Amino acid sequence: MATVNPRIHWPRLSLADSLAIITFAALLAANIYIRLMPAKYGVYLNEFDPFYHYYATSVLVSFLQQYGLSGIGKFFSYVSPYFWYPWGRHIATTSPDGLYFFTATLYLLVSGIGLKISLYNFVVVLPIFEGIIALIPMYFIVKSLTGNKYIGLLVAVLSLGIPGLITRTDFGWYKGTPLDFLLMPLAFMLLIYAFDKDKYPYALSLLAGLVVGYSYTVWGGAENINGVIGLAFLAAPLLIKISRKTISLELLYTIGAMVAAIFPDPGRSWIYSATMLLLYLSLILNALAYINQEKKIMPQPALYAILFVLGIGGLAGIAYFLPKLVNLRYLSVIDLFIRTKPSVVSTVAEQLPVSGLELDFMYGFGALLTALGGYYLIKKKTIGSLATAILLIWSFYIGSAFGELLDFIGMAIIIGAPIGVYYVYTSIAPAPAAARPVKKKARQPAPKGPSIGYRAEKYAAAAFLISLAAVPIYYWYPANNSPVTIANSATILNGYVPAWIDALKWMSNSSNMPPHSVVVAWWDYGYWITVMGNQTTVVDNATLNGTQIGLVAKMFLSPPNQAIHYFKMLHGQYVVVFATGAYANLLTGDQYLQGYQLSGELYGIGGDESKVSAMLVWAGWTNNESVWINKSTGLLTPYFWNDTLLGRLEPLQYLGWAQIDPSTGQVVGITQNQLNNTGLYQLPVWAYNIYYGTNSTPFRLVYASPLSITSNGIWAQVLIYEYVGNSTPAAS
């Protein structure tokens, strides 16, 4: 009997589909390449917060490895003594625990299959892959809303040139944002398929709610997604006929979103958060609309009027309680008047608004296409399309009002611009032949191939789409080809500046500095010092205790004898300062300025001397700002340099304003204040001088990092002082 060989049927793909898959894969590879650029400066976590998140994740992983599932309980009750001394920090109630559980689970799975990688290296590269995978749900959102599988390729094209999203899914950016910019579009995709498709709608709606609820435990900014969906539900009666299925889907989503309450942060407060209240309000109004449709209690106009009044009243009630439901950072996004007065929000760069000019430069024509996409979605009149349209509008508002949320604009353009392109194309494309009147003509032979006009149209479309990404990429490519924050010591310099890396290595060596000594430094560097330096800090980047940060600010800005009082209140043992400056002759090219220094405050290089205005806000001393900052020049006063603790801890001695002969470049004199109408160039100058040396009291210098000097003379330095008592002032 002959053996029958079963034929293998390989899937057949058209040339267009094959090219689409290859193109999408190539674009994903390009996305990975761009995000890996900072790696050439070293394998480091970026910015500040990722160091704390790495620490918290390592604690969870350690507990799980040591105690199994019971380690979860130990993690939820763990108070780390190394942050916010002497109180410590309860990690689970002050952190995005969802991020840690996701990462720990994934890391343990990866380790379980035999992949040898340290947790540190794992979290350094994880954001890249989260950012790349996020393009998949974005693609399906565009495909579902347009019905065109090829227009979704523009998602991957645009992702190459959207800085607002790349910066939050970049190498070393281990924060909640990379994971959430995967979870948030995933939730939207599930919601669109639940309401606009027929397969498994109830399961998909519940899952969408679970994803949104969990995403809030990863990053607080995800509450915006919950709010957007709530607004879409609220407007549903105006667009569609409310059915029992609609109510059921909304209810299942709301129940799923409650999953966030399981975690210590936010805990039960999530149940009565602003966006959950919005969901409850939407359910009530939709239920009233459904009952009226079934019972015919009143005419539709009267119903709409009642729903409008109830909706406005409900929103007003939520707005009234909003200051108690939302923290000051995110409240300042909604209430922009908060920024008109000095507040702690204005002291953090990523919480400042973004100018319209900057937005236009970064996003340009893509923003216009996104607006067209939003218009097209509103016309579709479905829950999924309405929710997406609101997302596009809201993303531009919050992204421009709050720098930390700029990545929402990136997501909006990646989703909205392809839809806008589709809308423009379908609006100007000729109507199908069946829809046009046909005149009887002699039968013509069918063309053998595409006409020249057809080819030109395709080439023009391809060139247009490529240009959308090409221009931003041209400007963005070199911008991302730069070191992460710790590799350039949190300065504006685009190069390797190892001042902080050197200082942290020195701190972590127990022969140099006892482990877990209490260190006082400005809050910017708290996570670095604790996690990488293995020391205990009194303030850090979480800014959990404004009173304690205010004490540090007052310590730095007070005369030394008063500063010691604040230092003792903080239980400090060491003080760390970060200074920047420049060799005047190298930076200006004037050889006669050799021996003089320029303070980093002149150029905003990034040292502690540039943070005095923020310190004044935290100290509550803005009413007397002129004592420390000259209002006419914007520079620090001689009082700051000569009479405050920070001024003396900085390695610069203020000399005054150098009067420079414009014809020779020679210094002809130095005065304490700037002169008027001299006909001379004037420049404030300093001398490099360490006030508290290795044998000084009450502070003695125990470490100064080697000066990291750039080719144009700019330098950065970390100095570590030990408190040795004896209030006798040091000799200069």
Side-chain angles (χ1 to χ4, degrees), residues 655-695:
L655 300 179
W657 286 82
Q659 317 299 320
I660 303 171
D661 188 329
S663 60
T664 64
Q666 289 183 310
V667 177
V668 297
I670 296 180
T671 58
Q672 278 294 296
N673 298 306
Q674 190 175 16
L675 303 179
N676 296 322
N677 305 318
T678 63
L680 302 172
Y681 291 148
Q682 298 185 75
L683 184 69
V685 292
W686 291 256
Y688 184 89
N689 180 55
I690 294 179
Y691 186 87
Y692 293 114
T694 55
N695 295 314

Side-chain angles (χ1 to χ4, degrees), residues 30 32 81 146 153 161 216 224 267 444 531 583 625 649 679 715:
I32 293 175
T146 62
L153 286 176
Y216 184 75
N224 288 281
Q444 301 291 331
V531 179
Y583 287 87
E625 185 180 61
L649 295 176
W715 54 264

Side-chain angles (χ1 to χ4, degrees), residues 165-507:
L165 193 57
I166 288 180
T167 53
R168 295 300 194 264
T169 56
D170 216 348
F171 178 81
W173 194 267
Y174 179 55
K175 298 179 71 172
T177 43
L179 178 55
D180 259 8
F181 277 93
L182 164 60
L183 296 178
M184 291 189 297
L186 175 62
F188 253 81
M189 182 193 77
L190 294 169
L191 193 76
I192 291 169
Y193 276 79
F195 278 90
D196 299 353
K197 308 294 181 182
D198 293 327
K199 286 189 175 182
Y200 316 114
Y202 300 108
L204 291 176
S205 187
L206 177 63
L207 188 57
L210 289 170
V211 171
V212 170
Y214 188 82
S215 68
Y216 184 75
T217 70
V218 172
W219 178 50
E223 189 169 13
N224 288 281
I225 296 296
N226 205 40
V228 164
I229 293 172
L231 288 174
F233 289 171
L234 191 65
L238 301 176
L239 296 176
I240 64 173
K241 182 179 179 181
I242 302 298
S243 65
R244 183 176 296 178
K245 177 182 176 183
T246 305
I247 301 292
S248 299
L249 292 177
E250 292 180 357
L251 179 61
L252 285 169
Y253 171 85
T254 303
I255 292 172
M258 291 182 179
V259 70
I262 297 174
F263 289 81
D265 184 20
R268 287 179 294 178
S269 65
W270 174 248
I271 303 297
Y272 50 84
S273 65
T275 57
M276 290 303 294
L277 292 176
L278 182 59
L279 288 175
Y280 308 150
L281 176 64
S282 303
L283 274 170
I284 294 171
L285 298 188
N286 286 349
L288 292 176
Y290 172 68
I291 293 171
N292 188 68
Q293 287 174 184
E294 295 297 311
K295 304 296 183 181
K296 308 296 182 183
I297 300 173
M298 65 183 70
Q300 285 294 104
L303 173 68
Y304 287 149
I306 292 175
L307 292 180
F308 178 79
V309 171
L310 291 176
I312 294 298
L315 290 174
I318 294 173
Y320 177 78
F321 291 104
L322 204 59
K324 298 179 181 179
L325 302 175
V326 181
N327 65 42
L328 183 64
R329 292 193 310 158
Y330 293 131
L331 186 63
S332 69
V333 178
I334 303 170
D335 183 3
L336 299 180
F337 290 101
I338 291 177
R339 300 177 186 276
T340 61
K341 301 177 181 179
S343 69
V344 296
V345 173
S346 62
T347 67
V348 184
E350 65 180 10
Q351 296 176 11
L352 298 177
V354 183
S355 69
L357 182 62
E358 187 177 358
L359 287 175
D360 184 61
F361 177 77
M362 285 193 294
Y363 303 115
F365 194 55
L368 176 60
L369 285 172
T370 303
L372 292 173
Y375 174 71
Y376 165 79
L377 292 172
I378 292 174
K379 288 174 60 179
K380 282 178 67 70
K381 293 185 178 181
T382 67
I383 294 290
S385 64
L386 177 63
T388 308
I390 296 174
L391 173 66
L392 301 183
I393 297 168
W394 183 248
S395 293
F396 270 87
Y397 172 73
I398 61 175
S400 59
F402 200 76
E404 186 181 359
L405 302 177
L406 191 64
D407 30 13
F408 270 96
I409 297 181
M411 181 176 66
I413 289 183
I414 290 175
I415 294 173
I419 298 173
V421 170
Y422 176 80
Y423 172 65
V424 171
Y425 178 76
T426 54
S427 298
I428 64 177
R436 299 196 304 264
V438 180
K439 295 182 179 180
K440 291 185 178 181
K441 290 184 179 180
R443 187 171 182 178
Q444 301 291 331
K448 296 182 178 180
S451 64
I452 297 298
Y454 175 85
R455 290 177 180 173
E457 177 185 300
K458 294 297 183 183
Y459 293 149
F464 169 71
L465 296 181
I466 292 173
S467 67
L468 284 178
V471 174
I473 290 172
Y474 175 79
Y475 292 104
W476 171 245
Y477 181 92
N480 204 46
N481 188 21
S482 58
V484 298
T485 308
I486 197 170
N488 75 349
S489 290
T491 65
I492 62 171
L493 303 175
N494 188 13
Y496 184 61
V497 182
W500 266 107
I501 291 175
D502 290 342
L504 293 169
K505 287 180 179 177
W506 186 90
M507 283 187 215

Side-chain angles (χ1 to χ4, degrees), residues 648-653 687-694 696 701 704 717 719 721 731-732:
R648 292 188 178 184
L649 295 176
E650 290 258 349
L652 291 173
Q653 178 186 358
Y688 184 89
N689 180 55
I690 294 179
Y691 186 87
Y692 293 114
T694 55
S696 298
L701 181 69
Q717 188 174 40
L719 301 101
Y721 297 91
S732 175

Side-chain angles (χ1 to χ4, degrees), residues 692-715:
Y692 293 114
T694 55
N695 295 314
S696 298
T697 59
F699 297 97
R700 71 180 185 93
L701 181 69
V702 294
Y703 175 79
S705 66
L707 284 177
S708 304
I709 307 173
T710 64
S711 58
N712 59 354
I714 295 177
W715 54 264

Side-chain angles (χ1 to χ4, degrees), residues 524-600:
D524 288 28
Y525 315 110
Y527 289 152
W528 288 358
I529 293 171
T530 297
V531 179
M532 305 305 289
N534 198 32
Q535 304 299 335
T536 298
T537 52
V538 298
V539 295
D540 60 39
N541 308 68
T543 61
L544 295 173
N545 186 331
T547 301
Q548 186 125 319
I549 297 175
L551 289 177
V552 174
K554 291 175 181 178
M555 181 199 79
F556 276 133
L557 299 180
S558 297
N561 288 342
Q562 296 177 24
I564 291 172
H565 169 70
Y566 293 117
F567 184 78
K568 290 181 177 179
M569 289 177 65
L570 293 164
H571 308 280
Q573 294 172 289
Y574 292 84
V575 180
V576 176
V577 298
F578 178 51
T580 61
Y583 287 87
N585 61 313
L586 296 177
L587 191 60
T588 64
D590 184 351
Q591 60 176 332
Y592 294 106
L593 290 177
Q594 186 171 358
Y596 294 108
Q597 296 283 338
L598 302 176
S599 169

